Amino acid sequence: MALVRWEPVGELSSLQDDMNRLFNTFFDTPTAGNGTVRRWIPAMDLVEAEDHFVLKADLPGLAEDDVHIDVEGDVLTVSGERKAEHEDKQEGYVRVERSYGSFRRSLTLPEGVDADAVTASFDRGVLEISIPKPEQRKPRRVAIQVGTAPAPVEGTEAA
């Protein structure tokens, strides 16, 4: 009989992979049992650059008029709708796998982001939003007074 070393971290990773697979199966199934499409959630990437963040969203089949970007407080929301290209009746369709419908994704922005400086571009079905990082507060040096006598108050005579 061979001894096998137990790796608890590996077991946790395996458990996490199983849970992710379970949730992906449950939530990301594009069709219900009767073949109707339930919902569509576009894939998004958030990348941090030196002085800004870049949010990229895959929105195939949409035009810039189909997408809305709102900044309210510290929340950026991307929403829109992809229309179905077929009618609900099943005539002429053997299988429908492409998802459609409205979507809404929100992202909490770091405190201090200037909402007016957020820019967006749309090219070949990819939405790219540039979010500038807030300026870091710089430390302020406080001068130390020398001596024990307090500074004279304006309007009084010094002794």
Side-chain angles (χ1 to χ4, degrees):
M1 183 167 126
L3 289 176
V4 178
R5 183 177 182 165
W6 181 54
E7 295 287 338
V9 174
E11 293 290 327
L12 286 175
S13 177
S14 174
L15 177 64
Q16 183 177 10
D17 290 343
D18 291 341
M19 293 300 290
N20 286 341
R21 197 174 314 105
L22 173 69
F23 279 107
N24 288 339
T25 301
F26 182 74
F27 288 113
D28 291 342
T29 302
T31 59
N34 61 3
T36 59
V37 177
R38 294 190 327 196
R39 64 191 177 94
W40 175 51
I41 301 173
M44 294 188 176
D45 293 336
L46 180 64
V47 179
E48 182 177 7
E50 188 171 323
D51 61 344
H52 65 283
F53 297 99
V54 177
L55 177 71
K56 290 186 179 183
D58 289 341
L59 304 172
L62 270 68
E64 57 272 4
D65 295 338
D66 299 328
V67 181
H68 306 285
I69 303 168
D70 299 304
V71 179
E72 187 174 326
D74 63 346
V75 177
L76 180 132
T77 302
V78 179
S79 60
E81 183 174 5
R82 182 161 66 182
K83 307 264 190 237
E85 295 178 3
H86 59 84
E87 296 179 19
D88 287 336
K89 56 186 175 182
Q90 298 295 326
E91 294 178 29
Y93 288 93
V94 177
R95 186 175 183 139
V96 176
E97 291 185 349
R98 295 187 317 157
S99 299
Y100 60 90
S102 59
F103 67 92
R104 182 178 189 87
R105 301 283 306 265
S106 295
L107 169 75
T108 302
L109 300 173
E111 187 177 322
V113 167
D114 180 12
D116 294 332
V118 174
T119 60
S121 63
F122 194 81
D123 185 33
R124 297 181 308 195
V126 178
L127 173 68
E128 185 172 314
I129 302 172
S130 179
I131 306 161
K133 288 184 179 179
E135 288 189 29
Q136 297 291 328
R137 291 187 175 184
K138 296 183 175 122
R140 183 178 68 92
R141 183 163 292 209
V142 177
I144 301 172
Q145 293 184 359
V146 180
T148 57
V153 178
E154 192 173 310
T156 62
E157 291 185 26

